[in-house]
Amino acid sequence: MPVVSEGQKRAQQAWNRGLVGKGRPAAATAAVEPCTVEGCGTPATGQAPAARMVQVAGSADGAPAHWYCPGRCAVIARTRAELRAIPMRPGGER
């Protein structure tokens, strides 16, 4: 949205802590990218599908363990398992 009024300009400058001018362009990387590693995210029913794969245990809610590539995918899987472990509040919210 364009900034048209003097009040909007002052508010924008205050928000930017006095900085003026054109901002930097958005990052060229996507927030979510599909993993290209063969076998990443497969259920852990036996041997790892590839070298260096990390087994991430499921959470207490019964989610099974899976194999993930080391790095971003393993971190996301561990985080999701930790979030699922947070007890539910009465009414269905965490």
Side-chain angles (χ1 to χ4, degrees):
M1 291 180 63
V3 177
V4 293
S5 73
E6 286 302 314
Q8 286 176 318
K9 290 177 184 176
R10 283 192 305 274
Q12 183 181 29
Q13 190 171 8
W15 173 262
N16 292 328
R17 296 185 178 129
L19 299 175
V20 295
K22 186 173 172 118
R24 67 179 179 189
T29 58
V32 178
E33 293 181 13
C35 183
T36 59
V37 176
E38 184 77 28
C40 184
T42 59
T45 56
Q47 290 265 17
R52 298 186 56 212
M53 294 296 254
V54 178
Q55 185 176 359
V56 177
S59 62
D61 69 353
H66 285 75
W67 291 108
Y68 292 96
C69 62
R72 184 173 186 266
C73 291
V75 169
I76 291 171
R78 285 187 185 115
T79 304
R80 291 181 65 207
E82 290 175 10
L83 289 173
R84 283 194 304 267
I86 296 172
M88 297 289 283
R89 293 182 185 167
E93 295 183 9
R94 293 187 189 261

